[in-house]
Amino acid sequence: MTNVGAQALLSIFVHLIFFILAWWALQGVNFEKLLRRPASIRARILYLLLAIAISYPVAAFFLDYLNWSLALPQIYR
C-alpha cells in the first residue's frame, strides 16, 4: 500500500467501523446502576468517550497487523 491517500482512507474507514462496533457493544452493558441519570448528556458523553477509548487501540492493532502482514513479502527480497 504505497498510496498515502488510499492508506488514509482505509485508516479512517477502519477507525469508524471499530467505533461503531464499540458503541454497539457498549449498548449491551447495563450502566444504569452506575449512573445517576443514564439518559443525561453526561451519560451520552461517557458512552462516547468509552467507545473511543475502546475502539482506538483495537483499530490501531488491526491496522498495524495489516501493515505488518503486507510487509512480510519483503523478507524474501
Side-chain angles (χ1 to χ4, degrees), residues 5 14 47 60:
V14 167
Y47 277 120

Side-chain angles (χ1 to χ4, degrees), residues 23 27 30-47:
W23 183 268
Q27 298 303 311
N30 189 7
F31 283 114
E32 284 77 19
K33 295 182 182 186
L34 297 175
L35 303 172
R36 288 184 202 151
R37 287 176 275 153
S40 69
I41 189 70
R42 290 181 183 173
R44 289 287 127 190
I45 291 174
L46 179 64
Y47 277 120

Side-chain angles (χ1 to χ4, degrees), residues 1-4 6-7 10 66-67 70:
M1 225 187 264
T2 58
N3 188 356
V4 177
Q7 190 171 7
L10 177 67
L66 179 66
N67 286 330
L70 291 174

